[in-house]
Amino acid sequence: MTLRTPICDLFGIELPIFAAGMGGVTMAPLAGAVSAAGGLGVIGATFCTPDELRAEIRAVRRITDRPFGVDLLVPGDIPPDVGARAVPPFPEFLADLLPEVAGLAGAPPPPLTLELAKAQLAVTLEEKVPLLVSALGTPPWLIDQCHRAGTRVMSIVGNVRQARRMEELGVDAVIAQGMEAGGHVGNVTTMVLVPAVVDAVRIPVLAAGGIVDGRGVAAGLVLGAQGAWIGTRFIATVEATAHENHKRRILEVDEEGTVVSRSYTGKPSRVLRNTFTDRWKGRDAELLPMPWQRIRVESLVAPAKAAGRVDIANFPTGQGAGAIRDMPTAADLVRRLVREAEAALCR
Ligand SMILES: Cc1cc2nc3c(=O)[nH]c(=O)nc-3n(C[C@H](O)[C@H](O)[C@H](O)COP(=O)(O)O)c2cc1C
């Protein structure tokens, strides 16, 4: 059998395997390798300046002439003057951790503003990238601009209501992502969400959240999805630009090694469980909304992240990490996922 579904024709690819856009992780080497292997790699552009994004897009094109995508985080509720406002006070109960990062370098990522997202989108469209993916909301103006430029749009959704809304707005496909996933998540599991979204919309659906092997890809297809959107599994590959400590930690943790916490970004996000997330336990009332929570802990988290301090910093990671035990090349992983999925479906 061959693992081919209608979404392969929609995007002009061979295999329905998508390497999820992960900020700082799915950059040109990984996105390009996955597309070259017949899947579709998506640059995680969240933290790129417009110039950096243009360089990443061109670097993918030096690796392959096959289709690829750009993933943007378009914040709907962030004030444009966020950089000019006062930084909220650093939490006292974390003060003893600050000496641990003293002297470490680590510039904070640029503030996630609508202005930045618009500039990233402009570059994506100028460069004629075939696919744009957006999470945390996909505004109508973005869909219109993409379609006018000939770029297809996919949106990540965490419930049926969002999926219906995205279909109404005209996106080309939705990614139904369960709460097993790494990064920002909703409340519904992949097993429940995928068939519910498949039943609710007519556009193609990808399954996401907790897919780390061919059995997971096959399960998504059996639930009615046309392919798999895979993040965490691709962090533990040779080409991923994740910190080595993050890659290593993924090989070590079990299925309970992650936690959903608002302590880094202000929105629920699945990350490696560590000292930082533990310290915030029982302190929900003290959390600030996005973007203030991140800005407030930046002096600790930014240097810790740059140094690969998985015990302190924000390392988005899905529950599926518990089943990841090796670090293949991206092309080997794509081939393995397909081989395993075909075998599972034949059984
Ligand atoms: C390290 C990491 C970084 C991520 N960064 C982003 C991001 O910048 N933008 C985004 O839309 N999703 C981001 N995500 C979510 C992924 O795109 C994807 O939806 C998710 O990883 C799928 O679930 P899985 O990790 O169980 O495969 C990130 C996920 C991880 C693990």
Side-chain angles (χ1 to χ4, degrees):
M1 73 174 297
T2 52
L3 203 70
R4 201 177 166 83
T5 66
I7 206 167
C8 295
D9 299 322
L10 183 70
F11 292 124
I13 56 177
E14 279 171 34
L15 304 165
I17 304 290
F18 292 72
M22 295 182 281
V25 174
T26 324
M27 306 313 283
L30 176 54
V34 170
S35 288
L40 195 148
V42 177
I43 299 170
T46 305
F47 303 118
C48 291
T49 64
D51 285 347
E52 286 165 353
L53 175 55
R54 199 183 299 278
E56 293 294 329
I57 291 169
R58 292 183 179 178
V60 171
R61 288 215 161 100
R62 284 195 292 277
I63 298 170
T64 182
D65 58 3
R66 294 185 172 189
F68 64 100
V70 163
D71 179 289
L72 297 182
L73 226 146
V74 185
D77 48 2
I78 296 202
D81 63 341
V82 65
R85 297 208 198 167
V87 174
F90 187 81
E92 260 175 43
F93 67 90
L94 296 173
D96 63 307
L97 295 176
L98 283 171
E100 304 231 7
V101 300
L104 294 178
L112 298 177
T113 60
L114 197 55
E115 199 187 8
L116 175 65
K118 284 185 172 172
Q120 292 165 330
L121 176 66
V123 169
T124 306
L125 301 186
E126 277 162 29
E127 294 289 327
K128 307 224 165 302
V129 175
L131 171 66
L132 190 287
V133 182
S134 91
L136 293 189
T138 307
W141 56 262
L142 178 141
I143 302 168
D144 286 352
Q145 281 190 33
C146 286
H147 283 168
R148 267 190 269 120
T151 293
R152 295 197 187 277
V153 184
M154 286 203 297
S155 188
I156 300 179
V157 298
N159 60 42
V160 167
R161 183 181 44 77
Q162 289 169 358
R164 286 208 175 105
R165 164 108 179 111
M166 287 303 133
E167 181 177 47
E168 266 169 38
L169 289 179
V171 301
D172 299 280
V174 285
I175 300 161
Q177 175 171 276
M179 63 178 296
E180 298 92 322
H184 290 120
V185 286
N187 298 316
V188 188
T189 60
T190 305
M191 186 80 158
V192 170
L193 183 66
V194 173
V197 171
V198 166
D199 287 348
V201 300
R202 274 183 280 181
I203 51 177
V205 176
L206 293 182
I211 299 178
V212 294
D213 59 21
R215 291 173 298 185
V217 175
L221 296 177
V222 170
L223 293 174
Q226 294 194 17
W229 171 261
I230 302 173
T232 300
R233 174 60 268 200
F234 277 105
I235 301 175
T237 57
V238 172
E239 292 89 344
T241 42
H243 198 286
E244 284 305 312
N245 294 354
H246 189 190
K247 294 185 176 189
R248 247 197 315 273
R249 192 77 190 119
I250 283 178
L251 304 185
E252 290 165 3
V253 293
D254 65 17
E255 72 284 0
E256 292 184 308
T258 69
V259 64
V260 175
S261 175
R262 287 171 50 209
S263 57
Y264 288 110
T265 72
K267 286 192 193 287
S269 175
R270 185 174 293 284
V271 291
L272 284 176
R273 185 155 48 80
N274 61 18
T275 304
F276 186 87
T277 59
D278 287 349
R279 289 278 185 100
W280 279 95
K281 257 194 214 146
R283 294 183 176 270
D284 280 8
E286 297 171 58
L287 288 162
L288 297 180
M290 193 180 225
W292 304 110
Q293 179 66 17
R294 196 188 92 179
I295 291 171
R296 167 196 204 190
V297 295
E298 206 87 274
S299 55
L300 173 67
V301 173
K305 176 107 186 176
R309 289 287 302 262
V310 290
D311 56 331
I312 295 176
N314 174 24
F315 287 95
T317 306
Q319 283 183 325
I324 299 173
R325 291 288 169 260
D326 64 355
M327 187 125 45
T329 65
D332 282 347
L333 177 58
V334 170
R335 283 191 282 270
R336 188 207 297 174
L337 289 166
V338 170
R339 204 173 49 242
E340 290 173 351
E342 287 173 352
L345 289 168
C346 283
R347 277 203 302 274

